[in-house]
């Protein structure tokens, strides 16, 4: 049964007049098996988000988890505990910790939960640094260009930081990005990348490609790439395959181990809700766990734990992803991630995906039935399997900023990407069907005002 078929069935059960009827949204929210998780988050009020908005004490409509997730209530407790321990124990808290989380092993408190989110084994994951730093770390190890195989394949509209990182890695090896960087372009007149075109590029150029490095979900369009298929095709041509999961981790159920991905990295402040600038994560497949001949950027936190504090200047890397760590991780940001992951422990990625299919499917249906294509166009894939929570809306006739600012004044938060896109992402942990309905009702009012 497709998400739309499911919605049609629920419409009949709800006895609502149509999908925009508040009765339908209330019915769906009441039946939502994840509805209790919304109470795990601090949701800003309308008055806090938009001073002067009507109904100021009601929660705002927050569709910006693709940029920054909301604050889990548990984060305050975990961070406060670390501040308490710091105050009481100071340096001793590295080894003796009132709450059983000695700082010398703080990253281990979030390792297993993070591995479950990205479909990995525990030792294939390390929590460390921030996203672009981790991408550099991984490329330093896995991008080993030769005279014949020196190219990196990325999507043409990769997130700028990824593009900068890849270009700088190519230059680091004294090569010219004009010769060593392949940017996969969509077909003329199209916005999305077709899997068959990516596979064709791999087939044609695979013998000269060192690394294929795509985003799991494209930040601008919201396209969820066929990761398993692309990974398999690239590895068959002898390429290393890495993925930036910034918009995928905590959003869609990936299976990094089973898909045989070589490496991956992600941030934790979007769908993982760990807070602005939160600590990030890496994945290194267990096939590479003990390949200590592969060069890497080394640091003492990647050294064998048993002898780390012996201060011997002979690097002995830990097997697995942990061997790529540099410095001791931030205790406060790791604890914030622990607080967020405590919410994920109350559900599964499978159940979150099931709700996301319905929630974003509901939004997609309303947008395509309530608005004409000369007002807005959805550039995110129609197929629910090829998208996550996010829909990217192109507003025609130069009206995007008018619409965006109008929504903000009504305490409805998405984000804009110039020149004409508003991204909206109803996330299954805290978004409601009523939020979707209110967004569309308000958007109709704004369209009537500005078009």
């Amino acid at each position: 049964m497709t998400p739309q078929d499911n919605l049609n069935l629920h419409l009949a059960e709800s006895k609502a007049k149509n999908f925009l009827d508040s009765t339908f949204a209330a019915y769906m929210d009441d039946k939502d098996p994840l509805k209790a998780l919304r109470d795990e988050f601090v949701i800003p009020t309308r008055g806090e988000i938009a001073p002067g908005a009507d109904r100021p004490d009601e929660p705002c409509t927050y569709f910006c988890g693709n940029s920054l997730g909301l604050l889990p209530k548990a984060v305050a407790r975990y961070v406060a505990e670390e501040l308490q321990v710091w105050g009481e124990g100071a340096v001793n808290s590295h080894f003796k910790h009132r709450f059983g989380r000695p700082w010398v092993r703080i990253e281990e408190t979030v390792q297993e939960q993070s591995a479950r989110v990205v479909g990995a084994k525990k030792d294939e994951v390390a929590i460390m640094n921030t996203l672009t730093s981790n991408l550099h770390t991984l490329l330093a190890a896995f991008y080993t260009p030769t005279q014949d195989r020196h190219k990196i394949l990325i999507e043409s509209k990769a997130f700028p930081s990824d593009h900068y990182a890849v270009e700088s890695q190519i230059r680091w090896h004294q090569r010219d990005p004009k010769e060593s960087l392949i940017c996969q372009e969509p077909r003329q007149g199209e916005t999305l990348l077709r899997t068959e075109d990516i596979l064709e590029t791999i087939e044609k150029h695979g013998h000269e490609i060192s690394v294929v490095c795509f985003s799991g979900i494209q930040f601008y369009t919201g396209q969820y790439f066929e990761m398993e298929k692309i990974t398999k095709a690239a590895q068959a041509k002898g390429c290393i395959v890495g993925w930036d999961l910034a918009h995928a981790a905590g959003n869609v159920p990936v299976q990094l181990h089973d898909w045989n991905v070589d490496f991956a990295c992600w941030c934790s402040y979007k769908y993982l809700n760990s807070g602005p600038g939160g600590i990030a994560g890496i994945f290194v497949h267990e096939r590479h766990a003990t390949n200590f001949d592969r060069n890497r950027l080394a640091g003492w936190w990647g050294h064998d734990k048993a002898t780390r504090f012996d201060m011997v200047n002979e690097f002995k890397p830990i097997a697995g992803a942990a061997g790529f760590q540099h410095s001791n991780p931030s205790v406060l940001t790791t604890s914030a991630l622990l607080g967020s992951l405590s919410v994920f422990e109350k559900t599964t990625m499978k159940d979150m995906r099931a709700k996301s299919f319905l929630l974003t499917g509901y939004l997609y249906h309303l947008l395509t039935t309530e608005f004409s294509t000369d007002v807005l166009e959805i550039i995110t894939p129609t197929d629910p399997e090829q998208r996550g929570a996010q829909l990217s809306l192109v507003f025609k006739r130069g009206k995007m900023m008018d619409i965006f600012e109008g929504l903000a004044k009504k305490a409805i938060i998405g984000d804009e990407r110039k020149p004409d896109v508003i991204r909206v992402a109803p996330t299954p942990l805290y978004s409601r069907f009523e939020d979707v309905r209110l967004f569309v009702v308000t958007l109709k009012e704004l369209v009537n005002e500005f078009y």
Side-chain angles (χ1 to χ4, degrees):
M1 181 181 293
T2 68
Q4 187 57 53
D5 290 337
N6 212 333
L7 287 170
N8 291 337
L9 178 62
H10 288 307
L11 178 64
E13 293 173 347
S14 71
K15 297 182 170 55
K17 297 176 182 178
N18 52 55
F19 284 112
L20 207 51
D21 187 338
S22 61
T23 303
F24 175 74
Y27 173 82
M28 293 298 291
D29 286 328
D30 183 62
K31 286 182 64 68
D32 175 15
L34 303 186
K35 63 184 178 182
L37 297 180
R38 178 177 168 87
D39 293 333
E40 301 285 340
F41 291 86
V42 177
I43 301 175
T45 65
R46 291 171 56 84
E48 289 168 335
I49 283 289
D54 61 348
R55 310 189 311 280
D57 296 328
E58 293 183 11
C60 74
T61 300
Y62 193 81
F63 284 169
C64 210
N66 58 305
S67 185
L68 178 68
L70 289 179
L71 169 64
K73 294 175 182 177
V75 167
R77 175 171 67 86
Y78 281 103
V79 172
E81 288 175 354
E82 296 307 332
L83 294 175
Q84 179 184 347
V85 167
W86 182 13
E88 294 175 350
V91 71
N92 293 337
S93 301
H94 281 90
F95 299 96
K96 296 180 181 180
H97 193 286
R98 171 192 287 269
F99 300 103
R101 301 190 296 270
W103 296 341
V104 74
R105 298 198 307 273
I106 190 66
E107 71 275 15
E108 297 176 15
T109 65
V110 291
Q111 188 178 7
E112 189 168 344
Q113 301 97 313
S114 297
R116 281 198 288 270
V117 169
V118 297
K121 294 184 177 181
K122 179 181 177 181
D123 289 343
E124 293 176 319
V125 167
I127 303 304
M128 53 188 270
N129 302 342
T130 51
L131 177 55
T132 304
S133 296
N134 283 340
L135 181 57
H136 274 296
T137 293
L138 292 166
L139 286 173
F142 288 96
Y143 177 51
T144 55
T146 65
Q147 187 61 35
D148 296 327
R149 190 185 286 272
H150 57 86
K151 297 187 177 182
I152 299 180
L153 173 63
I154 64 174
E155 74 254 38
S156 62
K157 202 174 177 63
F159 189 74
S161 196
D162 286 8
H163 196 111
Y164 305 154
V166 168
E167 278 201 352
S168 66
Q169 287 285 332
I170 290 171
R171 290 194 180 97
W172 187 262
H173 288 276
Q174 307 300 314
R175 295 188 175 274
D176 186 348
K178 293 179 181 178
E179 301 295 328
S180 296
L181 181 60
I182 303 175
C183 294
Q184 183 73 48
E185 299 276 356
R187 296 185 184 185
Q188 188 170 1
E190 298 183 358
T191 305
L192 303 173
L193 293 175
R194 299 191 186 192
T195 300
E196 60 262 35
D197 293 346
I198 298 171
L199 299 184
E200 182 180 346
T201 298
I202 291 170
E203 180 61 31
K204 182 178 179 181
H205 297 284
H207 64 285
E208 54 187 357
I209 294 174
S210 174
V211 174
V212 174
C213 189
F214 273 68
S215 52
I217 291 183
Q218 218 284 331
F219 84 99
Y220 187 78
T221 65
Q223 179 181 5
Y224 180 19
F225 291 112
E226 295 186 81
M227 293 176 57
E228 182 178 15
K229 189 177 293 186
I230 293 168
T231 298
K232 184 177 181 180
Q235 289 176 341
K237 299 294 286 187
C239 309
I240 290 286
V241 183
W243 293 92
D244 174 353
L245 302 181
H247 288 264
N251 181 9
V252 292
V254 297
Q255 297 296 326
L256 295 180
H257 175 83
D258 291 347
W259 295 345
N260 207 37
V261 169
D262 290 292
F263 71 84
C265 51
W266 59 91
C267 57
S268 65
Y269 52 81
K270 299 180 188 294
Y271 296 100
L272 292 177
N273 313 303
S274 76
I279 197 164
I282 68 167
F283 165 89
V284 177
H285 198 280
E286 67 177 1
R287 291 181 292 108
H288 305 292
T290 57
N291 182 6
F292 301 133
D293 293 331
R294 180 179 294 280
N295 200 15
R296 68 184 73 193
L297 300 177
W300 81 310
W301 221 250
H303 182 86
D304 174 44
K305 295 178 184 179
T307 59
R308 179 186 288 159
F309 287 90
D310 292 349
M311 306 300 175
V312 177
N313 289 333
E314 183 178 342
F315 182 60
K316 182 180 179 182
I318 303 168
F324 290 82
Q325 295 174 107
H326 297 153
S327 299
N328 48 318
S330 162
V331 168
L332 297 182
T333 56
T334 303
S335 297
L337 177 58
L338 179 60
S340 174
L341 291 174
S342 71
V343 181
F344 280 80
E345 289 293 289
K346 298 178 180 180
T347 184
T348 64
M349 288 304 303
K350 179 180 178 181
D351 288 344
M352 288 173 58
R353 182 65 162 160
K355 179 180 175 180
S356 189
F357 273 147
L358 288 175
L359 195 62
T360 298
Y362 180 44
L363 175 60
Y364 188 92
H365 175 81
L366 290 178
L367 291 173
T368 53
T369 56
E370 298 291 334
F371 301 95
S372 64
T373 54
D374 65 341
V375 170
L376 69 84
E377 176 189 358
I378 303 173
I379 59 173
T380 309
T382 301
D383 181 2
E385 296 285 355
Q386 296 186 46
R387 67 185 186 221
Q390 173 187 323
L391 295 181
S392 297
L393 318 179
V394 173
F395 285 87
K396 308 294 182 64
R397 298 182 241 165
K399 300 293 185 180
M400 184 273 284
M401 284 306 301
D402 291 327
I403 296 295
F404 180 76
E405 290 170 358
L407 290 168
K409 290 176 182 177
K410 299 286 187 178
I412 297 175
I413 304 301
D415 67 3
E416 51 84 10
R417 289 293 179 265
K418 291 179 175 60
D420 51 16
V421 167
I422 295 177
R423 304 185 302 176
V424 287
T427 57
L429 286 179
Y430 49 76
S431 294
R432 304 171 301 176
F433 289 85
E434 176 63 9
D435 294 324
V436 171
R437 192 191 72 83
L438 285 173
F439 168 77
V440 172
V441 168
T442 304
L443 185 57
K444 290 184 70 173
E445 295 171 354
L446 293 170
V447 166
N448 289 335
E449 179 180 351
F450 292 113
Y451 283 86

